[in-house]
């Protein structure tokens, strides 16, 4: 039986090399500072196995977003936001230099950056949305009702913003509001399905007695489908997965148990959500809170942690998104807080070792073999204050990865 499993998995990996290694960008050249890709997959180019770490210090104070890749092959490879006061600055840089390309007054802190082949979009805590070109020239400024969160995405020629007042769409070329969907429900996550041309959002009442919903919007803001998942509390990002990338995965809390009233923790994959005919493909109960998902299409990764009474459950699990088979699992003695990144061969993630002492510590950057979950390299990232680096491992071009420090204006570059 074990031999059959390994032969089957090897076949799937070979099949994926022909069908998935050339995985198309669902939204070409469009990036988010938190999810990286608009489909929630956190899929990145094959950087290889990083074996060295270097750092670059920006002339800033406190970074408020992770770095966002800038496509197009221009002067700089990333943008990042800095500043918590009345003035916020926007940096652009690479692994040798950086500069302030824009200063924004009275906009509030930037909580998320998005970028496409021509523009950078800054989402501010105080309802302001600004657009700049890659040189920092202001293109337009807009505003929405309520206070934005950090789930915004780009859906082709619109920026889709979530706030505590609802969901709003802004035209990327003009800055004009296209449509608004008002709701008092909390938007947990949003993705864009380029195949169906639908914007897909998960909404929660944040109430243990009420089921959460997933809504699918057309580009004009019309609701194509609305599905309520009874006794389900969605707690992760949404993620397109499967060989055809038409299935949707999410982590959730299930119905409270009768014995201790604690809710079970799951990762689920559904088909048919876009058409309004949901069908459960798989459902796996896990010992940790499934807060982060990633997928290269065929393979789905869930990750997260749960700590109760000094007992820590922390890990990553890999599943085949189409036939529901569990492929491997890893458990860690420290919390898996930050989202792993994935490609057709590797899993990239960082574990942190925090301390209250004012001393330099280090984070450990892992490269895992996607076929079996085994560690290929543990790379120390020295000097990260409190042992913490921020955000998903981001590609800096096609040959290296970048991470940002939590409390200092430092970018770390990880290279093969």
């Amino acid at each position: 039986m074990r031999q059959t499993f390994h032969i089957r998995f090897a076949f799937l990996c070979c099949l994926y090399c022909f069908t998935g290694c050339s995985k198309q960008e669902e939204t070409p050249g469009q990036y988010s500072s938190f999810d990286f890709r608009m489909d929630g997959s956190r899929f990145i180019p094959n950087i290889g196995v990083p074996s060295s770490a270097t750092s670059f210090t920006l002339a800033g104070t406190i970074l408020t977003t992770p770095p966002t890749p800038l496509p197009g092959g221009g002067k700089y490879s990333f943008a990042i936001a800095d500043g918590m006061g009345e003035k916020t600055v926007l940096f652009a840089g690479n692994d040798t230099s950086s500069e302030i390309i824009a200063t924004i007054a009275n906009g509030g802190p930037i909580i998320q950056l998005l970028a496409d082949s021509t523009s950078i979009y800054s989402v501010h805590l105080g309802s302001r949305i600004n657009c700049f070109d890659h040189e920092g020239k202001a293109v337009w400024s807009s505003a929405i009702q309520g206070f934005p969160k950090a789930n915004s995405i780009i859906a082709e020629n619109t920026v889709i913003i979530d706030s505590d007042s609802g969901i709003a769409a802004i035209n990327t070329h003009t800055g004009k509001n296209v449509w608004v969907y008002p709701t008092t429900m909390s938007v947990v996550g949003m993705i864009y399905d380029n195949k169906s041309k639908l914007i897909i959002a998960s909404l929660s009442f944040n109430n243990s007695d009420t089921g959460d919903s997933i809504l699918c919007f057309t580009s004009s803001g019309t609701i194509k489908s609305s599905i309520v998942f009874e006794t389900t509390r969605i707690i992760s990002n949404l993620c397109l997965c499967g060989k055809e990338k038409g299935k949707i995965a999410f982590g959730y809390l299930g119905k409270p148990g009768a014995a201790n009233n604690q809710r079970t923790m799951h990762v689920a994959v559904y088909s048919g959500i876009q058409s309004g005919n949901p069908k459960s493909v798989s459902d796996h109960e896990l010992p940790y809170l499934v807060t982060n998902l990633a997928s290269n299409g065929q393979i789905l990764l869930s990750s997260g942690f749960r700590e109760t009474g000094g007992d820590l459950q922390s890990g990553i699990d890999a599943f085949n998104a189409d036939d529901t088979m569990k492929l491997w699992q890893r458990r860690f003695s420290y919390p898996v807080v930050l989202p792993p990144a994935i490609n057709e061969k590797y899993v990239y993630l960082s574990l942190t070792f925090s301390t209250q002492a004012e001393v330099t510590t280090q984070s450990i950057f892992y490269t895992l073999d996607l076929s079996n979950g085994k560690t290929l390299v543990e790379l120390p990232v020295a000097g990260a204050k409190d042992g913490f680096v921020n955000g998903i491992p981001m590609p800096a071009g096609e040959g290296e990865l970048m991470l940002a420090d939590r409390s200092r204006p430092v970018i770390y570059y990880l290279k093969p």
Side-chain angles (χ1 to χ4, degrees):
M1 179 66 181
R2 185 176 182 84
Q3 183 180 12
T4 303
F5 165 77
H6 286 300
I7 292 173
R8 184 183 184 194
F9 187 76
F11 172 76
L12 287 173
C13 289
C14 291
L15 178 66
Y16 183 76
C17 287
F18 287 103
T19 62
C21 290
S22 59
K23 185 179 194 296
Q24 297 179 355
E25 286 280 358
E26 280 75 6
T27 47
Q30 297 179 341
Y31 306 100
S32 162
S33 58
F34 286 99
D35 274 332
F36 176 63
R37 291 168 59 88
M38 302 304 116
D39 64 0
S41 67
R42 291 161 176 163
F43 182 89
I44 67 174
N46 183 358
I47 306 298
V49 181
S51 59
S52 65
T54 59
S55 63
F56 180 78
T57 302
L58 291 80
T61 53
I62 298 177
L63 302 178
T64 58
T65 71
T68 305
L70 293 180
K75 180 180 179 182
Y76 289 124
S77 59
F78 73 88
I80 197 165
D82 178 277
M84 293 293 292
E86 292 184 359
K87 286 187 177 181
T88 304
V89 298
L90 191 61
F91 279 94
N94 51 40
D95 57 0
T96 59
S97 64
S98 68
E99 66 174 318
I100 295 175
I101 61 171
T103 300
I104 307 127
N106 303 318
I110 296 174
I111 60 173
Q112 187 179 7
L113 289 176
L114 302 108
D116 57 26
S117 59
T118 61
S119 303
I120 303 167
Y121 309 92
S122 59
V123 181
H124 296 253
L125 186 61
S127 78
R128 179 67 53 181
I129 316 297
N130 289 300
C131 175
F132 306 89
D133 66 18
H134 286 195
E135 302 298 319
K137 180 182 177 181
V139 179
W140 51 258
S141 182
S142 186
I144 63 169
Q145 293 292 321
F147 293 96
K149 301 176 184 177
N151 294 316
S152 304
I153 60 172
I154 303 174
E156 296 186 344
N157 64 345
T158 54
V159 180
I160 312 298
I161 312 291
D162 75 307
S163 76
D164 58 1
S165 295
I167 300 172
I170 298 175
N171 186 282
T172 57
H173 302 299
T174 65
K176 293 183 178 180
N177 289 299
V178 180
W179 54 264
V180 175
Y181 175 76
T183 178
T184 57
M185 296 178 70
S186 175
V187 178
V188 182
M190 289 196 297
I191 56 175
Y192 179 64
D193 183 354
N194 188 57
K195 190 173 294 184
S196 65
K197 305 298 181 185
L198 292 176
I199 299 144
I200 305 167
S202 56
L203 285 77
S204 175
F205 279 110
N206 294 324
N207 187 310
S208 59
D209 297 325
T210 307
D212 288 351
S213 301
I214 293 182
L215 275 63
C216 298
F217 298 88
T218 67
S219 59
S220 62
T222 302
I223 297 178
K224 174 71 178 298
S225 67
S226 177
I227 300 161
V228 177
F229 295 87
E230 299 293 344
T231 66
T232 295
R233 178 88 174 271
I234 298 174
I235 59 173
S236 79
N237 61 300
L238 298 178
C239 178
L240 287 177
C241 61
K243 182 180 177 182
E244 302 300 325
K245 297 181 285 296
K247 298 178 176 66
I248 296 176
F250 56 87
Y252 74 94
L253 298 177
K255 184 177 180 180
N260 53 18
N261 207 36
Q262 289 186 346
R263 298 173 71 117
T264 54
M265 298 164 285
H266 304 254
V267 59
V269 178
Y270 277 82
S271 63
I273 288 178
Q274 293 90 324
S275 63
N277 299 300
K279 181 181 178 181
S280 177
V281 176
S282 66
D283 191 297
H284 296 269
E285 186 174 345
L286 294 170
Y288 55 81
L289 295 166
V290 182
T291 53
N292 293 303
L293 298 179
S295 179
N296 60 14
Q298 195 88 40
I299 297 174
L300 173 70
L301 295 182
S302 70
S303 64
F305 73 98
R306 178 175 180 265
E307 188 171 13
T308 55
D311 177 38
L312 174 69
Q313 296 287 341
S314 177
I316 299 177
D317 290 75
F319 306 93
N320 184 288
D322 286 313
D323 72 5
T324 77
M325 176 184 288
K326 184 172 181 177
L327 304 174
W328 51 264
Q329 70 178 40
R330 288 290 304 269
R331 297 293 179 259
F332 298 95
S333 56
Y334 287 86
V336 179
V337 180
L338 305 176
I342 189 174
N343 58 34
E344 71 274 8
K345 294 181 67 175
Y346 306 112
V347 180
Y348 303 108
L349 73 147
S350 59
L351 283 184
T352 60
F353 302 81
S354 61
T355 175
Q356 298 300 316
E358 288 296 322
V359 296
T360 56
T361 55
Q362 68 183 23
S363 291
I364 302 297
F365 185 83
Y366 281 82
T367 302
L368 308 183
D369 186 331
L370 181 60
S371 67
N372 53 29
K374 293 183 178 179
T375 300
L376 296 175
V377 167
E378 294 181 20
L379 179 63
V381 182
K385 187 177 181 181
D386 292 338
F388 198 92
V389 285
N390 188 20
I392 184 175
M394 291 281 188
E398 296 290 321
E400 58 186 339
L401 295 170
M402 54 183 170
L403 294 166
D405 199 291
R406 175 179 62 174
S407 53
R408 298 185 303 160
V410 178
I411 305 292
Y412 298 93
Y413 294 94
L414 311 173
K415 306 177 182 180

